[in-house]
Amino acid sequence: MDLNLVLAGEAGQGLKTLEALVGKALFRAGFNIFSNKDYMSRVRGGHNFMSIRFGDRPLQAPRQEIDILVALNDESIEKHQHKVSEDGFILYDGKFDDDRFIDIYASEMAKRINPKAKNSVYAGAVWKLLDLPIAILNDLIGEKFADDDIVYDNHQLLEVGYNAIDDEKYIDYNKSFLDGKDNQEIYINGNQAVGLGAAAAGVKFYSAYPMTPSTGILNFLAQNQKDFGIAVEQAEDEIGAINMALGASYSGVRAMTGSSGGGFSLMVEALGYAGVGEIPLVVAEVQRPGPATGLPTRTGQADLLFAINASQDEFPLIVLAPTDQEDAFYQSFRAFNLADKYQLPVIILSDQFLADSSKNIPEYKLDNLEIKRNFVDSDKVSPKSYRRYHFTEDGISPRAYPGQLADNVVLVDSHEHDENGFVTEDIELRNKMMIKRFKKLDKFIAEDRLEPEYIGPEEPDNLIVCWGSTAGPLKEALEIIQKRDENIGLLIFKDIWPLPVEKLKSLSNLAGKIISIESNFSGQLAKLIQQETTIKVDYKILKYDGRPFAAKELAERYFNEVINHG
């Protein structure tokens, strides 16, 4: 089974609360869930919708067809009713002359109990359509609200909505799988996963200025800072945020900052400071379409080439591109160990699609995760001989935090410097320091860089390459494409800079055509591949309207743009 519930209306009508309640209830009922948000950059008005796809198999992408539409205004009907299936339903607070419409008069029902809780009527109605026990919703309401009167009102409205549905109107699906569902899972969105990964990695300071869609990380860490033992600071702007994080990292605590689009642009000079100062720093860059303000609540993957080249001149940095909510946790954890080991900035390159989408994933496995700080051993280092930027074979100098070594000042400088950290313009020292810093990438490539994940036959005729969150929709699209006997493989880049090339090179010798699929205008991964390997991508399937790919859409574009016109 594969059903899609869409909640549509305008900002201020409580869509987010309704989505959170119903999505979590469906998860607790035992369904696999993939939910995502489509919202405008405004506090009230506009047109927003939340999609909750649920079924009996793992889901990784939105679906365009709708089975249940909860339309909170007339505009929602105009925009979505053509996508509602013939067997689907539209819940509406009024009357429409159409068999698919169910008129439940939610406003009138709520008026008698609690008008502010009107959306609970819709939640109850949806639950009856799915023929599920209402106790799950009642329990969630009890957990959400502390006020007994509010809990009572919402319970009343859930029941009213539930009873408003005719007993004969049910969505027909097989519920037998729910009994055997393994509940050892969590339901989480991408921003929460990044925040949780950082907390597991021992981050103790997070500073940021709110900027959609990265704000979810700030909110998540701030809401849980007491439990996690993290100091969370809302800075005056992004420049202040990254410099605060740099100061915290210099002092020896694990630190992180995050932003999106223009906010990340403001951070890049300080990113260079982390590079030349060799200060470990993790930056979450949650992409949104630009330039400038662009589409602040939409998604895109157009910051790839900017991220790997951010700030002036050249310095080593690492860019990771998590693919989903499970990968985001582990990649975020890994980012801190890499930043400390190599003493450089690590960018977690997420995007709005991943940040705001929620799905059920296996519980994170913490047993094999080890926090590695890589400070010098105080017992083995002579304070008098300690040199912060000492030249070493692998380019990694001994790092101490202020106060760790008695009678030793731990210097750091944004200028070029000598081994002790004193400013220099000496030609030989400048050259040696540049070489030293870049040696660290050689070590990263040899010891820690991950080759991309490959899905498909050993010898594919065609090869799709992608990176980051596009992987989810593509995994589902691959199943559709392979059902039509296409011998095709999918290569998913998660470490995106320095670009891992070995797997790509081996597959490119086999693949007939290479197709890059990305959410940007110019095909930035394709450019990067050609730059690093000379391998030329044959086709690009691109999308830059700010909306995520859907699996069926990708499969259709593959056949139309590559196979039928290739």
Side-chain angles (χ1 to χ4, degrees):
M1 65 155 294
D2 186 349
L3 297 173
N4 192 24
L5 164 67
V6 170
L7 314 167
E10 62 183 43
Q13 287 190 299
L15 280 173
K16 188 176 179 182
T17 303
L18 183 59
E19 183 265 343
L21 173 66
V22 176
K24 196 165 188 177
L26 287 168
F27 167 67
R28 289 204 180 170
F31 292 98
N32 292 295
I33 310 285
F34 185 93
S35 71
N36 66 297
K37 300 177 175 64
D38 187 302
Y39 57 103
M40 299 182 70
S41 178
R42 56 174 66 179
V43 177
R44 288 193 174 276
H47 179 71
N48 301 338
F49 66 94
M50 315 287 170
S51 173
I52 306 173
R53 185 182 172 197
F54 55 104
D56 58 359
R57 66 185 183 91
L59 303 170
Q60 309 195 62
R63 188 163 72 88
Q64 294 169 322
E65 299 81 7
I66 299 172
D67 298 291
I68 303 173
L69 171 64
V70 176
L72 300 188
N73 58 15
D74 290 346
E75 186 180 9
S76 300
I77 295 171
E78 294 171 10
K79 288 186 176 294
H80 298 286
Q81 69 170 332
H82 66 284
K83 298 178 185 174
V84 178
S85 66
E86 291 184 2
D87 298 328
F89 293 103
I90 302 172
L91 302 183
Y92 179 65
D93 191 0
K95 187 169 181 59
F96 257 81
D97 188 18
D98 187 314
D99 290 340
R100 294 178 301 172
F101 278 78
I102 299 175
D103 314 318
I104 59 172
Y105 302 103
S107 297
E108 188 175 326
M109 295 174 182
K111 190 176 180 180
R112 300 192 297 268
I113 301 172
N114 185 341
K116 293 182 179 178
K118 182 178 74 173
N119 284 350
S120 288
V121 176
Y122 293 112
V126 167
W127 224 240
K128 181 68 172 292
L129 282 174
L130 297 171
D131 191 23
L132 293 168
I134 201 167
I136 297 172
L137 283 173
N138 281 327
D139 289 346
L140 280 171
I141 291 291
E143 294 171 18
K144 180 176 178 60
F145 299 106
D147 189 305
D148 290 341
D149 291 338
I150 295 176
V151 172
Y152 178 79
D153 289 348
N154 277 279
H155 283 172
Q156 292 289 305
L157 291 168
L158 283 174
E159 186 172 350
V160 167
Y162 193 87
N163 293 331
I165 301 299
D166 190 304
D167 285 344
E168 295 180 358
K169 288 185 176 177
Y170 291 123
I171 297 288
D172 185 22
Y173 64 96
N174 179 11
K175 289 192 281 290
S176 60
F177 76 96
L178 293 173
D179 296 330
K181 186 75 168 56
D182 180 4
N183 288 323
Q184 300 301 309
E185 295 182 328
I186 58 175
Y187 180 56
I188 192 169
N189 69 36
N191 272 343
Q192 292 169 336
V194 170
L196 204 56
V203 67
K204 294 300 176 188
F205 182 76
Y206 183 83
S207 55
Y209 182 78
M211 192 162 194
T212 304
S214 67
T215 309
I217 301 173
L218 175 66
N219 291 341
F220 177 75
L221 291 176
Q223 289 164 1
N224 296 283
Q225 60 179 323
K226 289 184 179 177
D227 292 334
F228 293 159
I230 299 173
V232 178
E233 174 70 15
Q234 179 177 322
E236 70 273 23
D237 56 34
E238 289 83 356
I239 299 172
I242 190 171
N243 280 298
M244 287 180 185
L246 279 174
S249 181
Y250 162 72
S251 72
V253 302
R254 279 201 155 167
M256 179 182 183
T257 186
S259 192
S260 300
F264 179 67
S265 296
L266 289 172
M267 290 180 170
V268 297
E269 184 184 3
L271 194 74
Y273 193 163
V276 72
E278 302 188 47
I279 304 172
L281 181 68
V282 174
V283 182
E285 211 280 66
V286 188
Q287 298 166 95
R288 69 188 208 184
T293 308
L295 299 169
T297 61
R298 306 295 178 181
T299 197
Q301 294 182 304
D303 293 352
L304 170 58
L305 297 181
F306 176 52
I308 67 174
N309 293 293
S311 200
Q312 67 271 32
D313 207 338
E314 301 167 297
F315 59 92
L317 82 167
I318 295 169
V319 181
L320 311 176
T323 55
D324 64 11
Q325 291 75 1
E326 185 175 8
D327 190 43
F329 172 85
Y330 293 110
Q331 289 279 47
S332 298
F333 182 94
R334 179 170 168 249
F336 286 91
N337 279 351
L338 292 175
D340 271 352
K341 179 176 180 179
Y342 296 102
Q343 301 173 24
L344 45 63
V346 177
I347 298 172
I348 301 168
L349 197 56
S350 176
D351 55 51
Q352 184 270 331
F353 175 52
L354 173 56
D356 287 335
S357 297
S358 300
K359 74 172 190 175
N360 60 300
I361 58 173
E363 288 185 348
Y364 297 125
K365 297 177 180 176
L366 305 178
D367 292 346
N368 296 326
L369 300 181
E370 182 181 357
I371 296 173
K372 299 178 181 178
R373 297 305 316 273
N374 292 293
F375 287 117
V376 296
D377 186 340
S378 305
D379 297 331
K380 298 180 180 178
V381 175
S382 169
K384 292 184 179 179
S385 66
Y386 174 73
R387 284 170 291 172
R388 172 65 187 92
Y389 299 108
H390 179 54
F391 292 119
T392 60
E393 285 295 319
D394 57 13
I396 299 174
S397 301
R399 177 179 172 235
Y401 52 83
Q404 184 183 0
L405 303 176
D407 300 324
N408 191 291
V409 177
V410 179
L411 295 178
V412 64
D413 204 302
S414 66
H415 295 79
E416 192 55 274
H417 42 253
D418 63 13
E419 287 184 280
N420 289 304
F422 294 119
V423 176
T424 183
E425 295 190 17
D426 181 85
I427 294 172
E428 184 179 353
L429 277 176
R430 160 67 175 179
N431 288 337
K432 288 182 70 174
M433 277 297 169
M434 287 291 285
I435 293 168
K436 178 191 108 64
R437 287 193 287 267
F438 275 95
K439 276 182 179 177
K440 295 188 284 189
L441 285 188
D442 295 335
K443 185 177 177 69
F444 167 70
I445 291 168
E447 297 181 5
D448 291 300
R449 186 176 66 175
L450 301 179
E451 285 293 317
E453 176 187 359
Y454 177 69
I455 302 171
E458 291 186 5
E459 298 185 2
D461 290 336
N462 292 334
L463 176 67
I464 293 175
V465 294
C466 73
W467 63 282
S469 70
T470 303
L474 264 170
K475 286 179 180 177
E476 288 195 7
L478 196 67
E479 295 176 8
I480 300 172
I481 294 169
Q482 288 175 335
K483 285 179 181 176
R484 292 177 59 172
D485 296 329
E486 284 287 313
N487 184 33
I488 188 169
L490 172 62
L491 197 61
I492 303 166
F493 287 86
K494 301 177 183 180
D495 282 15
I496 197 75
W497 186 257
L499 187 73
V501 297
E502 298 307 318
K503 189 70 176 177
L504 173 65
K505 286 180 177 177
S506 65
L507 287 166
S508 67
N509 290 328
L510 301 169
K513 298 171 185 172
I514 300 177
I515 305 105
S516 76
I517 298 184
E518 308 176 56
S519 291
N520 58 55
F521 182 80
S522 59
Q524 296 190 14
L525 175 61
K527 288 182 178 178
L528 193 59
I529 287 173
Q530 187 165 6
Q531 170 189 305
E532 296 298 305
T533 67
T534 72
I535 295 170
K536 188 173 182 180
V537 165
D538 298 286
Y539 295 93
K540 301 172 189 171
I541 295 178
L542 307 173
K543 187 172 185 176
Y544 37 87
D545 61 8
R547 277 69 176 177
F549 283 111
K552 186 177 178 182
E553 169 195 11
L554 279 170
E556 289 174 351
R557 290 190 63 178
Y558 172 77
F559 286 112
N560 291 334
E561 298 175 28
V562 178
I563 300 302
N564 297 336
H565 297 283

